[in-house]
Every structure is written in structure tokens, then in C-alpha cells.
Amino acid sequence: MKTLDDFDVAGKRVLVRVDLNSPVENGVIQLSARIREHAKTLKELSDKKAKVVVLAHQGRKGEEEYLESLEQHAKLLSGQIGKEVKYINYLFGSDVTKAIEELKEGEILLLKNTRSWDGETESLTAKQHAKGSFVEVLKPYFDLFVQDALSVCHRSHASVVGFGYVLPSCAGRVLEAELKALEKVSEKIERPFVLILGGSKPADYIALINKYLEEDKVDAILSCGLFGQVCLIAKGIDLGKQNAFLEGKGAMDVIFDVKKVIDKITAPVDLAVKKDDKRVELKLDKFPNDYEVFDIGSKTIRQYCKILSDAKTIFLKGTPGYYLWPEFSKGTLKILKKIGKAKAFSLVGGGDSSAAVEMFEIKGINHVSLSGGALLRYLAGKRLPGLEVLESV
Ligand code: 3PG
Ligand code: MG
């Protein structure tokens, strides 16, 4: 795959797909690691005197975090780059092409949320998207397409696959760094390799676990978060009231698949439940009960930290517990701290996990990925249309 080192961008018009999708609080976009990291790629292109046009999305149409305008993102990017990022509230059409034509060397222009146009998310192939109006209209204006976000590469959306199909294209710095880090937890794993899976979406993990086990590449799989609870149920433990919660979350849909590999997975030996709004830790023989579970217990934390001490490679996806609530942040905090201090190569992925790394100011983790779904799919060996299109040119 080509990178920015393979192109001389001075004076060239460069179209860059980044992922600025960030948390929204009361309509206000929060400065995120994604905005900070992609700003560096844009700054590099600007410093090299490219004329830079940026494509990005925010949320999904019809969902709470969707914003049609990316004006706030442009302001946040400007703050990071130390230079104005222009914004135009159109995606294509004469206003956009005029603004592109007027761009001077080093200038950066962000376009409207790509998902404001319904054609963006239509389920089409790269070839089909390349024939759509968006790509057809804009492609004559560009010399190069740069894909900077692994986090969108699992989507066969127009802005992700269409331009790469018809323009010279390459990986931006963020994508380059992500792929380099991922190599160390896929093709070039130093053993022992410890995988820690937590969070609230166990369904995402099955393909990944099966792949690592089939290829005999993993030495320990430590389960926590809702996934850890599903693993306990797979081992025949009745969690009582928590069972219904897991079912409501759809976490139990994978129980059949989890049971098939449960003897290869380490499950928690104690859990922290909420009792009168306080953290109370209970051993497994205290279940079933009527309490809700919010974290792994101290004995589990100690046991997992010991296993992490011997690791040469660590990959964590999903937090061990509900870290936003101080009573229940212990598991997440201790495990992340341990990973930061470990001598191993460490990679942490997923939105909540990376937010926790930032919130607790954890130092020493080798790579904090900006991706969630795309990362898991990549590691499970599934195809990522956004990467395929870069490899094909
Ligand atoms: C994300 O936040 O997961 C990426 O920006 C991709 O967004 P999506 O999951 O809505 O496609
Ligand atoms: Mg997503």
C-alpha cells in the first residue's frame, strides 16, 4: 500500500477521507483523539503545499449524534492545526467545485457531512460507487485520494471506496500507523500473547476469537465486561437478575458460539455489584442474586494483572467495567495501568477503551487505536472494502 511518502503533493489537489466522528454533548462536538490525530495528517499536507479537501461524517442519519453540518469540526481542526480550515455546507455542486478551484496552496477545505447525501451509505461496490454522481462530479478536480481512517474502511460507502477506485490513492499517516500497530497483533505476534475482551458487544468477538484459536496464535483470552458475564453463563453459572439485563442487551445471542470455545477463555472469579448505590464485591458462589453487575472484582483484577505481567503482546478491546462511575472504575483503571506498565507491545482499541485511556491519563500503551468495528473485522481476517481499494491501485 502506498503512503504519503510516495507522492509529491506540492501544488496538487488532494482529497482526504478522515474520521472526525466524535461524541456530541448538547449539540456541541467534543474535541476527540480522532480530530487531534487526523489534524496532523492535514497539517502535513498543508505544510507540503497541497490544496487539501476533506471528507468526513458525523453520526448516522436518524440517530442522536448525527449533525448535518461539520462547521464545528472545521473550527476544532483549525485550533489543532493552527491555521484556518475553511468550511462549506455543501458536498458537491457548483459552490463546492468553485471553492475547490479557488483553493490556494496549503489551504484546507472541509465539506458537509458525507452522510447528508443518501447515496453515500447505499450498499454498493467500489466500482458502483465510483460511477455515482458524487464521485463522478468531484474526481476531475483531484490528483490524489488519501484514506486516513482505518475506522471507516469496513464501510463500502461512496466517500470511502469510490474515489480510491478512480484516482491515484494512498494511506494517510493515521491509517499507516494503525496498520503498522495491527501487524503486531496479527502477522507478527510476539508470544505470549494475551487478549483481553470486555465492553458491551460480545457478538463482535466471536469471529476474532475463532481466528486466533484456529491459527493457534493466542496464549490467554481474558474475559471481562459483559463478555465476561456471558462467559460465566456459558460455564453454567446463573447470574440471577443480571441474566435478564444481558438478554435485553442482546449479549446472550452469542451464548451458543461462546460455549464452543469456553474452555479456552478465562472468566472472572468475582464480580462487583451495586448494593445500596455502593460497590460490593461478590465471589461466584454468591450468585444468583438480585444485584446488577458493573465491574470485575479485585481477585479477578489481581489474577488478570499477573497474566499480563508475563505477556510480550497485549490487545485489549472493551473496558472491564462501567468506568464512568467511580465506584466501578477500579477494574478498568487497574487493568489499563497494568497494560501501560507492561513490558509487552500493547494495543488498545474501541471508543470506550480509548476514552478511558484518555480519562485516566494512562501512559505507556504503545498504540491506542481510533477504530472499533473496523479493527475487529481486520483482525478476524474479514475484507475491508476501504483498504482493498487502496491496494488495487
Ligand atoms: C465509528 O465511529 O464507528 C466510525 O466513525 C464509523 O461510523 P459508523 O459505525 O456509523 O459507520
Ligand atoms: Mg461504528
Side-chain angles (χ1 to χ4, degrees), residues 32-147:
S32 65
R34 283 178 174 167
I35 294 175
R36 281 202 309 270
E37 293 304 313
H38 288 296
K40 294 180 196 163
T41 304
L42 301 179
K43 182 171 188 309
E44 179 180 337
L45 286 165
S46 165
D47 289 347
K48 289 181 171 168
K49 300 197 170 9
K51 300 169 182 176
V52 189
V53 177
V54 187
L55 298 174
H57 72 279
Q58 172 63 50
R60 300 176 189 169
K61 248 188 190 175
E63 290 186 14
E64 216 179 313
E65 304 224 310
Y66 177 78
L67 287 182
E68 190 143 283
S69 165
L70 300 186
E71 196 170 4
Q72 296 185 60
H73 301 74
K75 292 220 171 75
L76 290 167
L77 281 174
S78 301
Q80 292 299 303
I81 301 172
K83 168 176 202 164
E84 190 203 358
V85 170
K86 296 171 186 263
Y87 178 71
I88 182 164
N89 205 31
Y90 294 100
L91 192 57
F92 54 111
S94 55
D95 294 290
V96 172
T97 45
K98 186 166 170 280
I100 295 172
E101 279 178 324
E102 284 171 0
L103 274 184
K104 297 191 188 71
E105 289 185 0
E107 286 189 336
I108 307 170
L109 170 71
L110 174 64
L111 308 184
K112 191 179 182 180
N113 188 343
T114 53
R115 293 183 181 178
S116 61
W117 174 59
D118 288 335
E120 163 76 347
T121 53
E122 257 183 75
S123 76
L124 299 175
T125 62
K127 192 174 174 182
Q128 289 166 325
H129 271 307
K131 286 189 185 141
S133 47
F134 177 36
V135 179
E136 278 283 315
V137 168
L138 287 187
K139 80 176 175 200
Y141 293 86
F142 293 98
D143 303 294
L144 176 66
F145 172 72
V146 178
Q147 175 56 265

Side-chain angles (χ1 to χ4, degrees), residues 18 26 45 68 76 78 80 84 118 145 149 182 197-198 218-219 239 262 281 318:
V18 295
N26 303 317
L45 286 165
E68 190 143 283
L76 290 167
S78 301
Q80 292 299 303
E84 190 203 358
D118 288 335
F145 172 72
L182 283 183
L197 301 173
V218 62
D219 298 284
L239 294 180
I262 193 63
E281 296 194 358

Side-chain angles (χ1 to χ4, degrees), residues 19 21 34 57 59-60 115 151-152 154-155 157:
D19 186 1
N21 195 25
R34 283 178 174 167
H57 72 279
R60 300 176 189 169
R115 293 183 181 178
S151 52
V152 298
H154 56 318
R155 306 287 183 217
H157 291 173

